[in-house]
Amino acid sequence: MGIEAEKRFVIAVFIISVISWASQAMSRTLHDDEASINDMHKQWMSQYGRTYANDAEKERRSQIFRENVRFVENFNSHLNNSRTFKLGINKFSDLTTEEFLKYHTGSKMPEKYSKPVETSSFRYQNLTDVPATIDWRQQGVVTPIKDQGKCGCCWAFSAVAAVEGIIKIRTGNLISLSEQQVLDCTQGTNGCYGGWMNDAFKYIVQNQGISTNAIYQYKGTQETCKPVENAAQISGFVDVPRNDEAALLNAVSGQPVSITIDTTTNEFIHYQQGVFNGGCGTSTNHAVTLIGYGVTEDGTKYWLLKNSWGEEWGENGYMRILRDYDSPEGLCGIAQVPSYPTA
């Protein structure tokens, strides 16, 4: 073999070795990554007490979990100045987006509410002295975070949280009220398959009150309406002028307000901390309660909302979301159809 031929042979062997090593290294990396995520899934199952019916279901859930982990890690690894929030793995991370929306949302706007409403009774219209920030938790107006579970009755939790707020403001008593009573007794809703906050307010008015959560405890499924002693009462409810964040700010400065929001993106489902400014639409698929607003140190304006997905989601069950968005509906449709109870 000549010198040139020998050089070519050595180079070829070297190239083959490098390719082989790279292939093996990549294979090991992928294998290690898979093993790491599998271990993560096992730890996650233990943390949330999750079990599956059989091995096939476990494998399907493991694959969904794996995809969600990669989505979260990829999002967080590409954070830049345009994103002011982070994602994290939570108790929903073995669900597809479709499954999540089916079981953990539930705001269904009736046709009658799709038309303009009378807002002449909006008491906060002409406020001029509105605080720059407010957090109703700091004034003892907000009960601890609750969890609607797999019942799509967010509408009941949103309405009850708003009622709890105005009762505390008017009477000085913070009482945890009954979402289950509202779920069981409100007419014209689909129960765990969706409803509307104003219908909940209407029921409480017509029933001349609502009981406590201690007496009428939450079961996570719709049951037969039970007669119980009421603990709090409201006189009515008012719709905030729609698609108007300034009007919404005035209302929230006076009391917690029920709103709907679009939660149809994986970013929203896996929100962990920061001011959410992610992608979303304006569908009215989930109801929450606005309990404040503020400004971060870097000047980012936000709304503060109380959710009903337990303390494991978001900032201990709460979310900050971008305020004064460049659309009348607000980010994720937050200003589309707000309302509040009166007492």
Side-chain angles (χ1 to χ4, degrees), residues 14 19 27 46 73 90 148-149 231 236 268 271 338:
F14 175 76
I19 292 174
S27 177
S46 176
E73 290 181 344
N90 58 35
Q148 68 186 77
F268 198 103
Y271 165 79

Side-chain angles (χ1 to χ4, degrees), residues 23 37 48-50 68 135 138 162 179 213 233 245 247 260 273 276 283 285 299 307 338:
S23 177
I37 293 180
Y48 292 107
R50 189 79 90 247
N68 283 329
D135 182 343
Q138 296 176 357
E179 291 84 9
N213 192 46
Q233 186 173 353
E245 286 197 79
T260 60
Q273 64 182 38
F276 184 85
S283 71
N285 75 323
N307 206 343

Side-chain angles (χ1 to χ4, degrees), residues 14-285:
F14 175 76
I15 292 173
I16 291 171
S17 298
V18 169
I19 292 174
S20 176
W21 174 84
S23 177
Q24 292 176 14
M26 183 177 294
S27 177
R28 284 195 301 272
T29 299
L30 291 174
H31 175 75
D32 293 343
D33 182 55
E34 291 293 321
S36 175
I37 293 180
N38 285 337
D39 288 342
M40 187 186 301
H41 184 221
K42 291 177 182 177
Q43 294 171 5
W44 177 90
M45 288 175 62
S46 176
Q47 178 181 353
Y48 292 107
R50 189 79 90 247
T51 58
Y52 302 116
N54 50 53
D55 289 342
E57 176 66 7
K58 181 178 179 181
E59 177 56 33
R60 189 172 85 87
R61 293 297 166 191
S62 181
Q63 179 60 37
I64 295 170
F65 180 84
R66 188 177 298 116
E67 292 171 358
N68 283 329
V69 167
R70 287 173 176 162
F71 174 83
V72 168
E73 290 181 344
N74 182 66
F75 179 92
N76 288 342
S77 67
H78 291 86
L79 286 178
N80 53 49
N81 292 334
S82 68
R83 288 297 191 219
T84 54
F85 66 102
K86 292 183 66 175
L87 305 183
I89 297 303
N90 58 35
K91 63 181 180 180
F92 305 122
S93 295
D94 70 338
L95 301 177
T96 65
T97 302
E98 293 73 22
E99 289 171 330
F100 174 84
L101 295 174
K102 178 179 180 180
Y103 295 114
H104 299 283
T105 57
S107 174
K108 304 285 186 183
M109 183 170 67
E111 179 63 29
K112 61 183 176 180
Y113 289 113
S114 65
K115 302 173 183 178
V117 295
E118 176 61 48
T119 57
S120 59
S121 58
F122 180 54
R123 68 173 70 163
Y124 300 107
Q125 184 68 58
N126 299 314
L127 286 185
T128 57
D129 187 20
V130 177
T133 66
I134 193 164
D135 182 343
W136 284 111
R137 295 175 300 183
Q138 296 176 357
Q139 301 185 44
V141 172
V142 182
T143 58
I145 289 291
K146 302 178 184 181
D147 192 343
Q148 68 186 77
K150 289 187 176 182
C151 173
C153 62
C154 57
W155 55 276
F157 281 81
S158 170
V160 167
V163 172
E164 291 170 341
I166 193 59
I167 294 300
K168 165 63 177 176
I169 292 170
R170 291 288 181 266
T171 69
N173 298 318
L174 181 64
I175 309 170
S176 181
L177 299 173
S178 175
E179 291 84 9
Q180 188 67 42
Q181 181 181 359
V182 171
L183 173 62
D184 291 347
C185 304
T186 303
Q187 299 297 310
T189 76
N190 293 317
C192 284
Y193 299 95
W196 196 244
M197 301 88 72
N198 284 7
D199 289 329
F201 295 144
K202 186 182 299 183
Y203 159 72
I204 297 172
V205 171
Q206 293 173 345
N207 189 58
Q208 298 184 344
I210 180 174
S211 186
T212 66
N213 192 46
I215 291 175
Y216 205 141
Q217 296 180 1
Y218 185 64
K219 305 295 185 182
T221 183
Q222 188 176 26
E223 299 182 345
T224 303
C225 182
K226 303 176 183 65
V228 289
E229 182 179 353
N230 293 324
Q233 186 173 353
I234 60 173
S235 60
F237 60 93
V238 175
D239 288 304
V240 177
R242 295 180 177 177
N243 302 324
D244 186 342
E245 286 197 79
L248 183 56
L249 184 81
N250 284 359
V252 177
S253 75
Q255 65 184 95
V257 174
S258 289
I259 59 120
T260 60
I261 197 166
D262 182 3
T263 64
T264 55
T265 66
N266 216 2
E267 292 178 4
F268 198 103
I269 296 168
H270 285 96
Y271 165 79
Q272 184 178 65
Q273 64 182 38
V275 178
F276 184 85
N277 66 343
C280 52
T282 56
S283 71
T284 54
N285 75 323

Side-chain angles (χ1 to χ4, degrees), residues 260-321:
T260 60
I261 197 166
D262 182 3
T263 64
T264 55
T265 66
N266 216 2
E267 292 178 4
F268 198 103
I269 296 168
H270 285 96
Y271 165 79
Q272 184 178 65
Q273 64 182 38
V275 178
F276 184 85
N277 66 343
C280 52
T282 56
S283 71
T284 54
N285 75 323
H286 186 54
V288 295
T289 313
L290 287 184
I291 60 161
Y293 55 84
V295 183
T296 64
E297 291 182 357
D298 67 0
T300 302
K301 297 179 180 179
Y302 64 84
W303 295 107
L304 175 62
L305 64 84
K306 180 185 184 184
N307 206 343
S308 53
W309 293 342
E311 294 181 353
E312 300 89 355
W313 177 85
E315 296 182 330
N316 299 315
Y318 300 91
M319 171 187 254
R320 288 177 292 161
I321 183 170

